[in-house]
Amino acid sequence: MFRRSLSRYTPLLIAAVLVVLLAFLASLQYRWIGQVSAMHRHRKQADLLASSSRFAEDFDREVTRAFLYFHPDPRDVSGRRDRMVRQLDRWIDEAPYPRLVLDVLLVRRDPEGGLSAEVLKPGASGFEPVSSPADLEPFRRHLGHNLHLDHGMPVAAGIPALVIPFPILRLMSDPTTERPPGEHLVVRLDANVISGEILPALTHRYFGDAQVRDYSVAVVAADDPGRVIFQSDPVSSATLRSGGDASLPMFGLRPFDELRSLWRERGIAGTRRHSRSREPHALFMPRGRRDRDGAWKLVLVHRNGSLEQAVARFRRHNLALSGSILILLAAAMGMMVMTTQRAQKLARQQIELVAGVTHELNTPITAIRSAGQNLADGVVADPAQVKRYGELVEKEGRRLSQMVGLMLELSGLQSGRATYSLQPTEVEEVLDEAIADCRWLLEERQARVEKDLDPDLPAVLGDAGALRRALRNLVENAAKYGGKAPWIGVRARAAGREVEVTVEDRGPGIRREDLPHLFEPFYRGREVKTGGIPGSGLGLSVVRRIAEAHRGRVSVAAGGSGQGSAFTLHLPAAPEEAA
């Protein structure tokens, strides 16, 4: 008894263990996805900072290159004009972005504050005077009144330009003495080349094409983030002011190793003996500013809103994917448990079938053997008795044949080997033949059959032999389970494009808990089994499969205990042209 109970609950115990393991796996998966998301965020941030740093460095490299190209040699003050002409030609021949430098100006300021300038343009042989005062206004706003070297900015972001004051050296006799009014060398940069050529090229190099780029790239003024120099995609001003996902300074001078030869060539390394730094940017960066400061700011904004939102979306995607996998595992586990239980149930039903079929087969075989033995031994000599024995053998043999045929038909339906020839078939003819096949059982049970068929009943599209067997099973069931001297009602009605054939009885009815299982193979209700009514539990399963093979269905209406039952075949009516 204990072993039987254990084997019965083993699938449930296995299912419980698997549920616990699945929950444990889900918790591990959740923690692992959280760690992966954190690592993904750190890696994205590191990649973003590395790409942004290289972007800013490449731009500052070109700015520093221009600064060093046009920085005058402090040892050759008299020949600086001719040198600037040669340097501009050299810049055009050697620089990676020759169009970056728009022109070179010498701006003078007299003691009264007035400005005058001369300009050297690409292709010109020398400096030419600038006659328009409007052209000097940007320089007036930038230079202001502070021409002290330590307070001057080498980068004029608003122009944009590089500004180099003259004379370069302080008065060595008195370092505290202010520099007298002099000249400024202004290397003016082409804003259109910066925003239309250099910055887009750097964006493509470090952040990819527009179709696959994860980030929007923007360059804004450091002192006014609302002033946009370049945008790869539209970005709100509030996002630019907040700094986006990453923000790095740019447009400044840096001590690049590959450019050291240029500042040695200009003699810059020895221009300030008292300076702690011998790099060119140390000469022109204001006091209190850091080496990494810049006049512009590079701002990176993730296209999905922010890097945090992108990482959160990545985490949700991984959670959804892993959750789907866990759901599939749970579904597979549930299917496995259901299949196991179904297999156990099927095994029990098959055992019951073997017992039932053995009993059903044993009864007619025993009767046939007994009658044959009596006839063979000459015990029965009276012609009337011989006839009665012959009828017994015929009846039991027919019963045996019906049972074997039922099992063979169910086997063919389940395996898919059974094929039907669907043709227009008259329902009344099939019903009469099915009732005639049951005449021996009807006579034995003293059953009364009443037919009620519509006069204009259409033909159905079906196989006459299969429909005959299905209806015969329904009539036999009504005769067996309809009580003593049962009444059987057979009705046929047209319902739209269907024909409904109903076989009804007034027997004890069907228990409510048996209804969901009536059409399962080998299933027999508890009262049927305890009542000693012969049967194998295959008839209704065969009826359902025959109905489905005809693209129809079978339904049951049970009124409860003592109110009988009614089984209805719903069959498609044959098309008028086929009929």
Side-chain angles (χ1 to χ4, degrees):
M1 184 68 181
F2 175 75
R3 291 182 179 179
R4 183 180 301 175
S5 300
L6 182 62
S7 63
R8 182 178 180 181
Y9 292 106
T10 296
L12 297 178
L13 294 175
I14 294 175
V17 173
L18 290 178
V19 167
V20 173
L21 291 177
L22 198 62
F24 179 70
L25 179 62
S27 64
L28 290 181
Q29 190 80 354
Y30 184 82
R31 293 179 57 188
W32 178 78
I33 289 176
Q35 295 175 356
V36 169
S37 299
M39 294 173 60
H40 180 70
R41 181 176 61 254
H42 294 326
R43 181 175 61 82
K44 285 288 186 181
Q45 289 176 339
D47 293 344
L48 180 61
L49 291 176
S51 299
S52 304
S53 178
R54 290 194 294 268
F55 183 105
E57 285 181 1
D58 279 7
F59 182 81
D60 288 351
R61 181 178 287 105
E62 300 309 315
V63 174
T64 305
R65 191 192 310 274
F67 179 86
L68 294 176
Y69 257 84
F70 295 98
H71 196 289
D73 189 344
R75 297 164 297 185
D76 185 14
V77 178
S78 60
R80 63 174 177 265
R81 291 172 174 266
D82 296 336
R83 185 180 183 85
M84 288 300 106
V85 175
R86 294 193 301 270
Q87 286 301 102
L88 183 56
D89 293 338
R90 182 182 173 188
W91 170 267
I92 294 173
D93 293 337
E94 297 178 358
Y97 297 98
R99 297 173 56 232
L100 174 62
V101 175
L102 182 63
D103 52 31
V104 181
L105 296 96
L106 279 175
V107 181
R108 300 185 189 86
R109 181 182 165 208
D110 55 35
E112 288 75 18
L115 291 180
S116 61
E118 294 177 285
V119 60
L120 173 63
K121 296 182 178 180
S125 59
F127 285 84
E128 300 176 358
V130 176
S131 57
S132 174
D135 294 340
L136 300 178
E137 189 61 28
F139 306 106
R140 187 187 306 277
R141 290 195 301 268
H142 177 75
L143 297 177
H145 297 285
N146 289 325
L147 296 182
H148 208 286
L149 180 62
D150 287 339
H151 296 283
M153 278 290 294
V155 174
I159 298 176
L162 299 172
V163 180
I164 306 172
F166 291 112
I168 299 173
L169 299 178
R170 289 189 178 189
L171 297 178
M172 301 305 298
S173 58
D174 186 2
T176 62
T177 304
E178 290 190 359
R179 185 196 315 270
E183 297 178 336
H184 286 77
L185 183 67
V186 179
V187 181
R188 190 158 55 176
L189 308 179
D190 194 330
N192 293 329
V193 172
I194 293 175
S195 61
E197 181 179 340
I198 299 178
L199 295 180
L202 294 177
T203 300
H204 174 75
R205 182 185 307 169
Y206 293 113
F207 300 102
D209 295 331
Q211 292 80 6
V212 298
R213 191 185 306 139
D214 292 331
Y215 294 91
S216 297
V217 182
V219 177
V220 299
D223 54 354
D224 183 13
R227 186 165 66 87
V228 179
I229 288 88
F230 166 77
Q231 273 186 320
S232 63
D233 301 282
V235 180
S236 66
S237 58
T239 304
L240 294 177
R241 293 182 185 278
S242 65
D245 295 300
S247 177
L248 272 78
M250 58 181 290
F251 200 3
L253 304 181
R254 305 195 192 192
F256 294 102
D257 291 340
E258 64 269 27
L259 300 180
R260 289 180 183 273
S261 60
L262 287 175
W263 67 65
R264 292 195 186 99
E265 181 181 329
R266 302 294 175 269
I268 299 174
T271 54
R272 288 189 67 182
R273 298 177 182 177
H274 302 286
S275 174
R276 293 181 180 179
S277 174
R278 301 171 66 87
E279 310 298 350
H281 70 293
L283 289 172
F284 298 99
M285 274 301 197
R287 289 177 179 176
R289 292 179 64 88
R290 298 172 297 178
D291 290 348
R292 60 178 179 273
D293 288 347
W296 290 347
K297 184 166 62 174
L298 173 65
V299 180
L300 281 303
V301 181
H302 202 281
R303 284 187 168 182
N304 290 331
S306 68
L307 180 59
E308 292 297 329
Q309 292 177 352
V311 172
R313 188 176 290 105
F314 171 79
R315 183 179 184 182
R316 289 195 297 269
H317 174 77
N318 284 343
L319 285 174
L321 182 61
S322 60
S324 301
I325 295 175
L326 291 178
I327 290 174
L328 288 176
L329 288 176
M333 181 182 66
M335 291 296 295
M336 181 185 67
V337 173
M338 290 175 59
T339 303
T340 303
Q341 290 181 334
R342 190 177 182 86
Q344 289 182 341
K345 183 178 179 181
L346 183 61
R348 289 194 299 269
Q349 290 177 344
Q350 288 175 339
I351 292 174
E352 292 175 358
L353 170 68
V354 171
V357 169
T358 301
H359 174 74
E360 291 295 317
L361 292 177
N362 186 58
T363 300
I365 290 174
T366 301
I368 293 172
R369 288 185 58 191
S370 177
Q373 184 69 37
N374 289 338
L375 290 173
D377 292 343
V379 175
V380 180
D382 184 56
Q385 288 184 335
V386 170
K387 180 180 179 181
R388 186 164 55 86
Y389 271 74
E391 291 175 352
L392 175 65
V393 171
E394 193 274 337
K395 185 180 75 170
E396 296 299 332
R398 184 178 64 253
R399 180 179 172 186
L400 187 61
S401 298
Q402 288 179 353
M403 186 178 301
V404 173
L406 194 63
M407 296 180 66
L408 291 175
E409 181 153 11
L410 180 62
S411 175
L413 288 169
Q414 288 182 331
S415 64
R417 294 193 303 268
T419 57
Y420 300 121
S421 176
L422 303 183
Q423 298 177 355
T425 304
E426 294 296 333
V427 175
E428 186 174 3
E429 295 180 4
V430 175
L431 273 173
D432 291 339
E433 293 174 356
I435 295 173
D437 290 341
C438 303
R439 65 184 183 278
W440 293 103
L441 179 62
L442 295 175
E443 292 175 0
E444 180 182 343
R445 299 287 297 169
Q446 299 179 359
R448 180 167 57 92
V449 179
E450 291 185 6
K451 292 195 303 180
D452 182 12
L453 279 65
D454 284 350
D456 299 327
L457 195 65
V460 297
L461 195 63
D463 184 284
L467 294 177
R468 176 180 173 180
R469 291 190 293 273
L471 291 170
R472 183 181 65 202
N473 284 326
L474 294 179
V475 173
E476 287 179 351
N477 284 346
K480 286 193 295 185
Y481 307 120
K484 296 181 179 180
W487 172 89
I488 302 173
V490 179
R491 301 191 308 271
R493 300 282 187 271
R497 297 182 179 180
E498 285 186 344
V499 174
E500 297 177 352
V501 183
T502 303
V503 178
E504 182 181 4
D505 66 70
R506 295 173 181 173
I510 302 172
R511 293 167 58 92
R512 189 175 300 275
E513 56 268 25
D514 292 333
L515 285 175
H517 311 286
L518 279 180
F519 299 99
E520 295 179 3
F522 317 123
Y523 182 82
R524 303 188 74 204
R526 183 180 302 174
E527 291 185 356
V528 173
K529 289 187 285 187
T530 56
I533 301 175
S536 60
L538 297 175
L540 290 179
S541 178
V542 170
V543 171
R544 186 189 65 176
R545 292 182 179 273
I546 289 176
E548 292 174 350
H550 286 74
R551 299 179 183 177
R553 59 191 177 89
V554 61
S555 62
V556 58
S561 179
Q563 300 183 25
S565 59
F567 290 84
T568 302
L569 271 177
H570 302 264
L571 301 172
E576 294 182 1
E577 57 273 15

mmCIF file of all heavy atoms in Angstrom, residues 95-124:
data_model
loop_
_atom_site.group_PDB
_atom_site.id
_atom_site.type_symbol
_atom_site.label_atom_id
_atom_site.label_comp_id
_atom_site.label_asym_id
_atom_site.label_seq_id
_atom_site.Cartn_x
_atom_site.Cartn_y
_atom_site.Cartn_z
ATOM 1 N N ALA A 95 50.273 70.113 -43.235
ATOM 2 C CA ALA A 95 49.273 69.883 -42.185
ATOM 3 C C ALA A 95 48.210 68.892 -42.645
ATOM 4 O O ALA A 95 47.828 68.862 -43.821
ATOM 5 C CB ALA A 95 48.605 71.204 -41.794
ATOM 6 N N PRO A 96 47.687 68.046 -41.723
ATOM 7 C CA PRO A 96 46.599 67.116 -42.080
ATOM 8 C C PRO A 96 45.326 67.847 -42.523
ATOM 9 O O PRO A 96 44.592 67.357 -43.374
ATOM 10 C CB PRO A 96 46.369 66.327 -40.786
ATOM 11 C CG PRO A 96 47.635 66.464 -40.013
ATOM 12 C CD PRO A 96 48.173 67.811 -40.348
ATOM 13 N N TYR A 97 45.058 68.995 -41.933
ATOM 14 C CA TYR A 97 43.890 69.804 -42.315
ATOM 15 C C TYR A 97 44.380 71.193 -42.717
ATOM 16 O O TYR A 97 44.320 72.149 -41.921
ATOM 17 C CB TYR A 97 42.894 69.912 -41.148
ATOM 18 C CG TYR A 97 42.305 68.589 -40.719
ATOM 19 C CD1 TYR A 97 42.829 67.898 -39.627
ATOM 20 C CD2 TYR A 97 41.242 68.028 -41.405
ATOM 21 C CE1 TYR A 97 42.298 66.683 -39.237
ATOM 22 C CE2 TYR A 97 40.693 66.812 -41.022
ATOM 23 C CZ TYR A 97 41.235 66.142 -39.934
ATOM 24 O OH TYR A 97 40.711 64.941 -39.551
ATOM 25 N N PRO A 98 44.891 71.363 -43.928
ATOM 26 C CA PRO A 98 45.476 72.663 -44.331
ATOM 27 C C PRO A 98 44.451 73.796 -44.345
ATOM 28 O O PRO A 98 44.817 74.955 -44.147
ATOM 29 C CB PRO A 98 46.025 72.395 -45.738
ATOM 30 C CG PRO A 98 45.291 71.181 -46.225
ATOM 31 C CD PRO A 98 44.998 70.371 -45.015
ATOM 32 N N ARG A 99 43.178 73.487 -44.562
ATOM 33 C CA ARG A 99 42.162 74.538 -44.623
ATOM 34 C C ARG A 99 41.711 74.998 -43.244
ATOM 35 O O ARG A 99 40.860 75.875 -43.120
ATOM 36 C CB ARG A 99 40.963 74.046 -45.422
ATOM 37 C CG ARG A 99 41.290 73.736 -46.888
ATOM 38 C CD ARG A 99 40.131 73.080 -47.618
ATOM 39 N NE ARG A 99 38.933 73.886 -47.553
ATOM 40 C CZ ARG A 99 37.739 73.444 -47.156
ATOM 41 N NH1 ARG A 99 37.621 72.182 -46.776
ATOM 42 N NH2 ARG A 99 36.685 74.232 -47.136
ATOM 43 N N LEU A 100 42.275 74.395 -42.185
ATOM 44 C CA LEU A 100 41.921 74.809 -40.833
ATOM 45 C C LEU A 100 42.300 76.263 -40.583
ATOM 46 O O LEU A 100 41.552 77.013 -39.948
ATOM 47 C CB LEU A 100 42.608 73.885 -39.817
ATOM 48 C CG LEU A 100 42.468 74.263 -38.338
ATOM 49 C CD1 LEU A 100 40.999 74.236 -37.918
ATOM 50 C CD2 LEU A 100 43.294 73.326 -37.460
ATOM 51 N N VAL A 101 43.479 76.687 -41.063
ATOM 52 C CA VAL A 101 43.937 78.072 -40.874
ATOM 53 C C VAL A 101 43.329 78.935 -41.962
ATOM 54 O O VAL A 101 43.594 78.741 -43.155
ATOM 55 C CB VAL A 101 45.469 78.142 -40.889
ATOM 56 C CG1 VAL A 101 45.928 79.600 -40.822
ATOM 57 C CG2 VAL A 101 46.044 77.346 -39.731
ATOM 58 N N LEU A 102 42.496 79.883 -41.542
ATOM 59 C CA LEU A 102 41.854 80.785 -42.499
ATOM 60 C C LEU A 102 42.806 81.879 -42.946
ATOM 61 O O LEU A 102 42.941 82.148 -44.147
ATOM 62 C CB LEU A 102 40.593 81.385 -41.864
ATOM 63 C CG LEU A 102 39.770 82.312 -42.746
ATOM 64 C CD1 LEU A 102 39.212 81.552 -43.950
ATOM 65 C CD2 LEU A 102 38.622 82.925 -41.940
ATOM 66 N N ASP A 103 43.490 82.526 -42.014
ATOM 67 C CA ASP A 103 44.500 83.534 -42.321
ATOM 68 C C ASP A 103 45.288 83.817 -41.056
ATOM 69 O O ASP A 103 44.974 83.303 -39.975
ATOM 70 C CB ASP A 103 43.858 84.813 -42.882
ATOM 71 C CG ASP A 103 42.740 85.331 -42.003
ATOM 72 O OD1 ASP A 103 42.816 85.120 -40.773
ATOM 73 O OD2 ASP A 103 41.779 85.929 -42.527
ATOM 74 N N VAL A 104 46.345 84.655 -41.182
ATOM 75 C CA VAL A 104 47.207 85.054 -40.069
ATOM 76 C C VAL A 104 47.235 86.578 -40.026
ATOM 77 O O VAL A 104 47.442 87.233 -41.058
ATOM 78 C CB VAL A 104 48.634 84.487 -40.229
ATOM 79 C CG1 VAL A 104 49.504 84.894 -39.055
ATOM 80 C CG2 VAL A 104 48.589 82.968 -40.370
ATOM 81 N N LEU A 105 47.002 87.137 -38.836
ATOM 82 C CA LEU A 105 46.965 88.585 -38.693
ATOM 83 C C LEU A 105 47.996 89.049 -37.683
ATOM 84 O O LEU A 105 48.290 88.356 -36.697
ATOM 85 C CB LEU A 105 45.585 89.062 -38.240
ATOM 86 C CG LEU A 105 44.408 88.827 -39.187
ATOM 87 C CD1 LEU A 105 43.692 87.545 -38.795
ATOM 88 C CD2 LEU A 105 43.436 90.008 -39.134
ATOM 89 N N LEU A 106 48.532 90.238 -37.951
ATOM 90 C CA LEU A 106 49.350 90.959 -36.987
ATOM 91 C C LEU A 106 48.503 92.126 -36.494
ATOM 92 O O LEU A 106 48.189 93.054 -37.247
ATOM 93 C CB LEU A 106 50.633 91.479 -37.631
ATOM 94 C CG LEU A 106 51.767 90.461 -37.781
ATOM 95 C CD1 LEU A 106 52.916 91.081 -38.541
ATOM 96 C CD2 LEU A 106 52.248 89.989 -36.415
ATOM 97 N N VAL A 107 48.108 92.081 -35.242
ATOM 98 C CA VAL A 107 47.230 93.098 -34.672
ATOM 99 C C VAL A 107 48.058 93.965 -33.733
ATOM 100 O O VAL A 107 48.729 93.453 -32.830
ATOM 101 C CB VAL A 107 46.054 92.448 -33.933
ATOM 102 C CG1 VAL A 107 45.125 93.519 -33.372
ATOM 103 C CG2 VAL A 107 45.284 91.510 -34.848
ATOM 104 N N ARG A 108 47.980 95.273 -33.957
ATOM 105 C CA ARG A 108 48.711 96.232 -33.124
ATOM 106 C C ARG A 108 47.713 97.053 -32.320
ATOM 107 O O ARG A 108 46.619 97.359 -32.799
ATOM 108 C CB ARG A 108 49.542 97.181 -33.984
ATOM 109 C CG ARG A 108 50.592 96.502 -34.843
ATOM 110 C CD ARG A 108 51.429 97.547 -35.548
ATOM 111 N NE ARG A 108 52.305 96.937 -36.542
ATOM 112 C CZ ARG A 108 51.959 96.666 -37.784
ATOM 113 N NH1 ARG A 108 50.745 96.970 -38.214
ATOM 114 N NH2 ARG A 108 52.823 96.102 -38.610
ATOM 115 N N ARG A 109 48.157 97.405 -31.161
ATOM 116 C CA ARG A 109 47.361 98.303 -30.319
ATOM 117 C C ARG A 109 48.240 99.426 -29.844
ATOM 118 O O ARG A 109 49.284 99.198 -29.232
ATOM 119 C CB ARG A 109 46.795 97.524 -29.132
ATOM 120 C CG ARG A 109 45.946 98.404 -28.239
ATOM 121 C CD ARG A 109 45.442 97.616 -27.060
ATOM 122 N NE ARG A 109 44.947 98.540 -26.056
ATOM 123 C CZ ARG A 109 44.929 98.308 -24.754
ATOM 124 N NH1 ARG A 109 45.423 97.168 -24.309
ATOM 125 N NH2 ARG A 109 44.452 99.190 -23.919
ATOM 126 N N ASP A 110 47.799 100.662 -30.114
ATOM 127 C CA ASP A 110 48.584 101.830 -29.699
ATOM 128 C C ASP A 110 48.252 102.185 -28.258
ATOM 129 O O ASP A 110 47.297 101.666 -27.679
ATOM 130 C CB ASP A 110 48.308 103.006 -30.639
ATOM 131 C CG ASP A 110 46.831 103.336 -30.740
ATOM 132 O OD1 ASP A 110 46.129 103.193 -29.712
ATOM 133 O OD2 ASP A 110 46.359 103.693 -31.837
ATOM 134 N N PRO A 111 49.023 103.061 -27.647
ATOM 135 C CA PRO A 111 48.785 103.428 -26.240
ATOM 136 C C PRO A 111 47.402 103.993 -26.000
ATOM 137 O O PRO A 111 46.871 103.893 -24.889
ATOM 138 C CB PRO A 111 49.872 104.459 -25.946
ATOM 139 C CG PRO A 111 50.968 104.115 -26.902
ATOM 140 C CD PRO A 111 50.283 103.659 -28.152
ATOM 141 N N GLU A 112 46.777 104.597 -27.004
ATOM 142 C CA GLU A 112 45.445 105.160 -26.821
ATOM 143 C C GLU A 112 44.333 104.094 -26.926
ATOM 144 O O GLU A 112 43.154 104.395 -26.748
ATOM 145 C CB GLU A 112 45.180 106.248 -27.860
ATOM 146 C CG GLU A 112 45.967 107.535 -27.617
ATOM 147 C CD GLU A 112 47.431 107.366 -28.004
ATOM 148 O OE1 GLU A 112 47.739 106.407 -28.763
ATOM 149 O OE2 GLU A 112 48.276 108.141 -27.524
ATOM 150 N N GLY A 113 44.680 102.862 -27.255
ATOM 151 C CA GLY A 113 43.677 101.805 -27.341
ATOM 152 C C GLY A 113 43.199 101.503 -28.731
ATOM 153 O O GLY A 113 42.367 100.609 -28.914
ATOM 154 N N GLY A 114 43.667 102.190 -29.731
ATOM 155 C CA GLY A 114 43.249 101.914 -31.086
ATOM 156 C C GLY A 114 43.894 100.655 -31.631
ATOM 157 O O GLY A 114 45.007 100.271 -31.229
ATOM 158 N N LEU A 115 43.218 99.994 -32.558
ATOM 159 C CA LEU A 115 43.707 98.754 -33.152
ATOM 160 C C LEU A 115 43.934 98.940 -34.641
ATOM 161 O O LEU A 115 43.153 99.618 -35.327
ATOM 162 C CB LEU A 115 42.712 97.616 -32.942
ATOM 163 C CG LEU A 115 42.514 97.089 -31.521
ATOM 164 C CD1 LEU A 115 41.497 95.963 -31.534
ATOM 165 C CD2 LEU A 115 43.827 96.620 -30.931
ATOM 166 N N SER A 116 45.002 98.317 -35.130
ATOM 167 C CA SER A 116 45.269 98.218 -36.569
ATOM 168 C C SER A 116 45.789 96.816 -36.818
ATOM 169 O O SER A 116 46.318 96.166 -35.910
ATOM 170 C CB SER A 116 46.275 99.269 -37.023
ATOM 171 O OG SER A 116 47.522 99.080 -36.358
ATOM 172 N N ALA A 117 45.619 96.355 -38.046
ATOM 173 C CA ALA A 117 46.011 94.965 -38.317
ATOM 174 C C ALA A 117 46.442 94.810 -39.762
ATOM 175 O O ALA A 117 46.055 95.587 -40.641
ATOM 176 C CB ALA A 117 44.854 94.024 -38.014
ATOM 177 N N GLU A 118 47.264 93.763 -39.953
ATOM 178 C CA GLU A 118 47.651 93.325 -41.287
ATOM 179 C C GLU A 118 47.332 91.835 -41.381
ATOM 180 O O GLU A 118 47.451 91.106 -40.397
ATOM 181 C CB GLU A 118 49.138 93.557 -41.535
ATOM 182 C CG GLU A 118 49.544 95.024 -41.579
ATOM 183 C CD GLU A 118 51.044 95.169 -41.756
ATOM 184 O OE1 GLU A 118 51.762 94.934 -40.765
ATOM 185 O OE2 GLU A 118 51.470 95.471 -42.880
ATOM 186 N N VAL A 119 46.933 91.400 -42.564
ATOM 187 C CA VAL A 119 46.483 90.030 -42.724
ATOM 188 C C VAL A 119 47.317 89.328 -43.781
ATOM 189 O O VAL A 119 47.702 89.928 -44.793
ATOM 190 C CB VAL A 119 44.987 89.980 -43.113
ATOM 191 C CG1 VAL A 119 44.721 90.691 -44.421
ATOM 192 C CG2 VAL A 119 44.487 88.543 -43.172
ATOM 193 N N LEU A 120 47.624 88.048 -43.498
ATOM 194 C CA LEU A 120 48.324 87.187 -44.451
ATOM 195 C C LEU A 120 47.375 86.050 -44.798
ATOM 196 O O LEU A 120 47.029 85.236 -43.946
ATOM 197 C CB LEU A 120 49.609 86.625 -43.831
ATOM 198 C CG LEU A 120 50.353 85.567 -44.657
ATOM 199 C CD1 LEU A 120 50.840 86.166 -45.978
ATOM 200 C CD2 LEU A 120 51.514 84.985 -43.849
ATOM 201 N N LYS A 121 46.973 85.997 -46.063
ATOM 202 C CA LYS A 121 46.036 84.979 -46.511
ATOM 203 C C LYS A 121 46.765 83.894 -47.295
ATOM 204 O O LYS A 121 47.847 84.142 -47.829
ATOM 205 C CB LYS A 121 44.945 85.602 -47.389
ATOM 206 C CG LYS A 121 44.081 86.600 -46.649
ATOM 207 C CD LYS A 121 42.980 87.144 -47.558
ATOM 208 C CE LYS A 121 42.090 88.120 -46.784
ATOM 209 N NZ LYS A 121 41.002 88.664 -47.635
ATOM 210 N N PRO A 122 46.197 82.679 -47.350
ATOM 211 C CA PRO A 122 46.847 81.610 -48.133
ATOM 212 C C PRO A 122 47.048 82.029 -49.585
ATOM 213 O O PRO A 122 46.142 82.584 -50.217
ATOM 214 C CB PRO A 122 45.861 80.437 -48.009
ATOM 215 C CG PRO A 122 45.129 80.693 -46.745
ATOM 216 C CD PRO A 122 45.002 82.184 -46.647
ATOM 217 N N GLY A 123 48.251 81.789 -50.088
ATOM 218 C CA GLY A 123 48.566 82.127 -51.475
ATOM 219 C C GLY A 123 49.141 83.513 -51.650
ATOM 220 O O GLY A 123 49.647 83.842 -52.731
ATOM 221 N N ALA A 124 49.062 84.381 -50.587
ATOM 222 C CA ALA A 124 49.601 85.741 -50.692
ATOM 223 C C ALA A 124 51.104 85.720 -50.408
ATOM 224 O O ALA A 124 51.616 84.851 -49.712
ATOM 225 C CB ALA A 124 48.872 86.672 -49.741
#
